[in-house]
């Protein structure tokens, strides 16, 4: 009989390590334990990695720039459409509101973001909509206040728009749009003691639009005086004397700053009422010399109801073929001394690379949203000279089309929309001093051709990336990932009130500063010599 050799010590190679483990079964158990330990370790590491919400997404996803954005002498730009790869690189839509992503467990996600909305008598808002035929002498505002203030839906027969989210929105409809967006604000409270700011849903713009022509100053001022009187009698007003209150007046600031009570003076005096000077008033054009108003974007024609509509539009703007180097949509302003529109129009006419959409008092393609947007979509740069006032709705329509704005006065955007636009204006726009154009010192075409293509691509990338914060989402829905113009404005108000409260607690409330320099406070946070001083040396008529 052949005797089987005794097992060698090699079989028990783990005996010293395992103590009582003296057989093959124990060996297998040990190996299995190590395997599961390592699997659990790497799995838990993955679980604790940062979530892919908007704050951890690389910038290349949020502001995806096409490498085809090159102006050539042909002249064509972006002569390809967005690829499927472009669309697929967009991050998935996060179904959780942004405000919740950073909340600590069991904490209040709305802490320091609550808004209390006053329940105003209906004559300050809803009654105006019921009597909408009297809101304008020339415009049927009943049409434009429909659809929660967005106006009639636009068809896409010309293929200029996307299929959903487009409306014939009036430029003075912000009152209604903003107030309806506030109804969907995720941090409303019925407890005013929790509120970071107090909102007055007064349709200030619609109110004055009824009485701008043919009414005396008493009528023009009536609702504003009554509104301020009503607000000042409420207990919420006493906390900060109205400094935590804000409202929207969806017109330019000059409609609310009548200096005297002479009947031939323009507008009402809402913003000059003593109590109103403590409030924050959001207007589509603010005063560089006053501290109680802030500029918010004009409404555009695009009001998306979800995040995907924004992403799809941005992708489309990145891939457009842009035929014209620059374009201007507007008319002459012969009644305004020093206007450079005549020179701008002439330069457009004389250039093979420029496109002019000329507007006049009669029938004009300028009144057609599709005609205007088509020009902007086909242009690399869009010229934005002053019109009847510093600002233009065209600025926001053109940026929505991915067109780089060219400004000629800092009051047209840079000192207006400091909550919505980057302080470094060279990131998204071109500035050509209007005096140089007026005196014939500069050719707009030559100046734009001097900009390196790499800078043009970067500016376009930034403009398209800024689109969400320049538009007002459909008030009947809610965006999850993006912040729109409403969200940015509310955050700006809350931050302003927070700063005022801090100054009050510290006994350093900044009152009595030179309001003529308020544009410097808003732009750079201090008063001192500035390269734009000569632009604001005296109030504009």
């Amino acid at each position: 009989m052949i005797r089987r050799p005794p097992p060698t010590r090699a079989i028990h190679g783990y005996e010293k390590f395992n103590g009582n483990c003296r057989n093959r079964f124990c060996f297998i158990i040990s190996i299995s334990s190590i395997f599961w330990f390592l699997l659990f370790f790497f799995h838990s590491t993955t679980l604790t990695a940062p979530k892919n919400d908007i704050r951890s997404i690389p910038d290349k996803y949020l502001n995806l720039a096409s490498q085809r954005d090159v102006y050539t002498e042909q002249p064509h730009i972006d002569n390809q459409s967005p690829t499927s790869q472009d669309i697929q690189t967009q991050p998935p839509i996060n179904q959780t509101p942004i405000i919740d992503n950073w909340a600590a467990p069991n904490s209040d996600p709305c802490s320091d973001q609550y808004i209390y909305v006053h329940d105003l008598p209906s004559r300050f808002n809803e009654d105006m909509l019921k009597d909408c035929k009297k809101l304008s002498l020339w415009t049927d505002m009943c049409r434009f206040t429909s659809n929660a203030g967005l106006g009639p839906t636009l068809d896409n027969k010309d293929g200029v728009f996307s299929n959903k989210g487009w409306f014939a929105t009036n430029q003075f409809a912000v009152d209604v749009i903003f107030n309806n967006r506030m109804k969907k604000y995720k941090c409303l409270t019925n407890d005013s003691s929790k509120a970071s700011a107090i909102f007055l849903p007064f349709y200030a713009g619609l109110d004055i639009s009824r009485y701008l022509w043919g009414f005396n100053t008493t009528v023009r001022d009536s609702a504003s005086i009554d509104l301020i009187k009503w607000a000042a009698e409420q207990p919420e007003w006493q906390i900060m004397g109205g400094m935590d209150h804000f409202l929207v007046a969806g017109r330019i600031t000059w409609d609310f700053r009548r200096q005297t009570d002479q009947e031939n003076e323009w507008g009402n005096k809402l913003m000059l009422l003593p109590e109103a000077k403590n409030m924050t008033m959001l207007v589509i054009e603010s005063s560089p010399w006053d501290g109680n108003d802030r500029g918010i974007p004009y409404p555009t024609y695009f009001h998306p109801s979800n995040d995907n509509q924004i992403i799809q539009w941005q992708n489309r703007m990145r891939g457009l073929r842009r035929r014209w180097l620059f374009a201007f949509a507007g008319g002459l302003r012969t009644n305004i001394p020093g206007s450079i529109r005549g020179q701008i129009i002439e330069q457009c006419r004389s250039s093979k690379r420029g496109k002019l959409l000329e507007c006049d008092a009669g029938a004009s393609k300028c009144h057609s949203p599709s005609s205007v947007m088509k020009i902007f979509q086909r242009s690399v740069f869009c010229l934005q000279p002053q019109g009847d006032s510093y600002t233009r709705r065209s600025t926001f329509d053109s940026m929505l089309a991915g067109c780089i704005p060219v400004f000629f006065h800092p009051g047209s955007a840079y000192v207006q929309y400091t909550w919505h636009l980057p302080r470094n204006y060279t990131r998204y726009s071109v500035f050509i001093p209007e005096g140089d154009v007026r005196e014939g010192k500069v050719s707009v075409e030559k100046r734009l051709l001097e900009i390196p293509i790499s800078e043009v691509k970067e500016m376009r990338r930034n403009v398209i990336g800024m689109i969400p914060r320049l538009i007002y989402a459909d008030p009947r829905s809610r965006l999850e990932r993006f912040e729109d113009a409403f969200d940015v404005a509310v955050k700006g108000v809350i931050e302003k009130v927070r700063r005022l409260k801090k100054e009050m607690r510290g006994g350093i409330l900044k009152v009595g500063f030179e309001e003529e320099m308020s544009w410097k406070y808003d732009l750079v946070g201090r008063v001192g010599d500035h390269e734009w001083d000569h632009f604001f040396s005296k109030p504009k008529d």
Side-chain angles (χ1 to χ4, degrees):
M1 176 182 289
I2 300 175
R3 187 183 298 274
R4 180 176 296 174
T8 65
R9 302 298 293 178
I11 294 177
H12 303 287
Y14 287 93
E15 182 176 10
K16 291 182 179 180
F17 181 81
N18 292 330
N20 296 327
C21 194
R22 297 178 179 276
N23 52 50
R24 185 171 300 176
F25 177 78
C26 290
F27 173 77
I28 294 173
I29 291 296
S30 301
I31 293 298
S32 179
S33 299
I34 294 172
F35 169 79
W36 285 108
F37 171 79
L38 293 175
L39 181 62
F40 177 79
F41 174 80
F42 288 111
H43 181 64
S44 63
T45 301
T46 302
L47 287 177
T48 57
K51 293 184 181 297
N52 192 31
D53 70 0
I54 196 168
R55 278 164 286 267
S56 59
I57 295 171
D59 180 65
K60 66 179 181 180
Y61 292 122
L62 295 179
N63 295 314
L64 197 62
S66 170
Q67 295 303 310
R68 299 183 296 274
D69 294 353
V70 180
Y71 181 81
T72 60
E73 291 295 322
Q74 279 66 34
H76 296 311
I77 288 188
D78 296 343
N79 51 9
Q80 299 181 30
S81 300
T83 65
S84 58
Q85 182 179 4
D86 288 333
I87 298 174
Q88 291 170 0
T89 53
Q90 291 291 341
I93 298 301
N94 186 347
Q95 297 301 320
T96 305
I98 293 175
I99 189 172
D100 294 332
N101 292 342
W102 288 89
N106 302 319
S107 69
D108 182 357
C110 286
S111 178
D112 297 326
Q113 299 183 65
Y114 281 113
I115 298 291
Y116 177 82
V117 180
H118 271 303
D119 184 15
L120 296 182
S122 61
R123 71 187 187 92
F124 292 120
N125 42 47
E126 295 305 319
D127 287 355
M128 297 184 204
L129 298 183
K130 293 177 182 178
D131 205 13
C132 55
K133 292 187 180 296
K134 296 181 180 179
L135 293 177
S136 174
L137 288 176
W138 301 282
T139 304
D140 178 10
M141 289 302 293
C142 294
R143 293 180 62 243
F144 291 113
T145 54
S146 65
N147 286 322
L150 306 182
T153 56
L154 290 172
D155 62 51
N156 192 28
K157 62 182 180 181
D158 295 328
V160 176
F161 313 125
S162 42
N163 291 328
K164 294 182 179 180
W166 291 83
F167 301 82
T169 306
N170 186 273
Q171 66 175 346
F172 298 131
V174 177
D175 297 41
V176 183
I177 296 172
F178 200 98
N179 290 352
N180 283 318
R181 283 283 284 113
M182 184 62 76
K183 295 174 183 177
K184 289 281 189 177
Y185 182 62
K186 52 200 168 190
C187 293
L188 293 177
T189 179
N190 291 323
D191 183 355
S192 61
S193 66
K194 287 184 177 180
S196 296
I198 311 292
F199 181 59
L200 288 164
F202 173 43
Y203 291 158
L206 297 186
D207 168 55
I208 188 57
S209 70
R210 299 179 291 181
Y211 307 125
L212 280 174
W213 292 272
F215 291 88
N216 61 38
T217 57
T218 301
V219 174
R220 282 181 264 160
D221 294 338
S222 177
S224 296
I225 292 174
D226 290 348
L227 181 279
I228 296 301
K229 182 177 183 293
W230 183 95
E233 292 173 349
Q234 307 308 307
E236 290 81 14
W237 185 276
Q238 312 308 319
I239 306 300
M240 294 184 67
M243 286 190 287
D244 55 352
H245 285 52
F246 72 106
L247 60 78
V248 175
R251 297 182 66 92
I252 62 176
T253 191
W254 317 112
D255 292 341
F256 310 97
R257 294 187 178 278
R258 194 186 69 243
Q259 299 293 319
T260 73
D261 286 336
Q262 296 181 19
E263 297 298 335
N264 61 347
E265 288 276 349
W266 179 260
N268 66 24
K269 57 182 181 182
L270 168 62
M271 294 189 180
L272 298 182
L273 296 174
E275 297 88 349
K277 289 188 175 182
N278 283 349
M279 297 173 57
T280 298
M281 305 198 189
L282 306 180
V283 289
I284 53 178
E285 176 177 318
S286 63
S287 167
W289 307 285
D290 297 278
N292 63 337
D293 60 359
R294 277 286 186 150
I296 59 174
Y298 283 76
T300 65
Y301 302 112
F302 185 40
H303 306 281
S305 58
N306 60 59
D307 299 303
N308 278 329
Q309 291 177 7
I310 295 177
I311 292 173
Q312 291 167 5
W313 181 256
Q314 287 177 306
N315 279 332
R316 180 177 171 183
M317 293 304 99
R318 293 183 182 106
L320 286 179
R321 175 183 181 179
R322 298 184 182 266
R323 179 178 181 182
W324 308 104
L325 173 64
F326 63 98
F328 173 60
L332 291 169
R333 289 296 184 271
T334 54
N335 61 318
I336 299 179
S339 173
I340 63 169
R341 287 199 172 199
Q343 290 93 328
I344 293 294
I345 290 173
E346 183 56 36
Q347 290 199 32
C348 287
R349 286 173 174 166
S350 61
S351 172
K352 294 181 179 180
R353 297 185 176 93
K355 180 64 176 178
L356 174 65
L357 182 62
E358 194 163 5
C359 306
D360 53 38
S364 169
K365 288 186 176 181
C366 290
H367 303 303
S368 164
S370 62
S371 297
V372 172
M373 292 300 293
K374 184 183 296 184
I375 292 294
F376 293 157
Q377 289 176 22
R378 294 181 178 181
S379 304
V380 183
F381 297 97
C382 290
L383 311 186
Q384 305 296 347
Q386 297 184 75
D388 297 320
S389 63
Y390 287 130
T391 62
R392 307 182 71 210
R393 173 192 176 142
S394 171
T395 294
F396 298 97
D397 288 334
S398 65
M399 294 180 74
L400 173 61
C403 190
I404 301 166
V406 180
F407 297 112
F408 301 87
H409 193 291
S412 295
Y414 305 145
V415 304
Q416 292 286 343
Y417 312 106
T418 54
W419 288 344
H420 294 79
L421 299 177
R423 302 296 174 93
N424 183 358
Y425 62 87
T426 62
R427 293 179 56 197
Y428 68 91
S429 70
V430 177
F431 180 61
I432 302 175
E434 62 181 7
D436 292 349
V437 177
R438 187 181 301 114
E439 298 169 14
K441 294 180 179 179
V442 63
S443 161
V444 172
E445 178 179 342
K446 183 177 179 181
R447 171 69 179 87
L448 297 178
L449 285 174
E450 290 172 350
I451 303 174
I453 291 176
S454 60
E455 292 184 18
V456 174
K457 291 195 298 183
E458 179 66 12
M459 284 189 282
R460 171 108 51 84
R461 184 181 77 91
N462 290 331
V463 167
I464 295 174
M466 289 159 54
I467 286 176
R469 63 193 292 114
L470 303 181
I471 59 177
Y472 296 91
D474 191 321
R476 297 161 295 189
S477 61
R478 180 184 294 172
L479 303 179
E480 298 294 345
R481 173 174 300 281
F482 295 107
E483 292 182 336
D484 72 342
F486 167 88
D487 294 315
V488 175
V490 170
K491 280 192 171 183
V493 170
I494 289 175
E495 181 56 36
K496 177 183 176 181
V497 174
R498 183 181 296 122
R499 175 180 56 80
L500 291 173
K501 287 180 178 178
K502 182 179 179 181
E503 292 176 358
M504 290 177 71
R505 286 193 297 267
I508 55 171
L509 186 62
K510 297 176 182 177
V511 295
F513 67 86
E514 295 180 76
E515 279 204 302
E516 293 79 7
M517 302 297 176
S518 64
W519 66 271
K520 293 186 182 181
Y521 283 103
D522 295 340
L523 188 67
V524 297
R526 59 182 175 80
V527 172
D529 291 339
H530 195 279
E531 61 179 315
W532 291 340
D533 282 340
H534 66 284
F535 285 104
F536 304 106
S537 59
K538 61 180 181 179
K540 185 180 177 65
D541 243 347

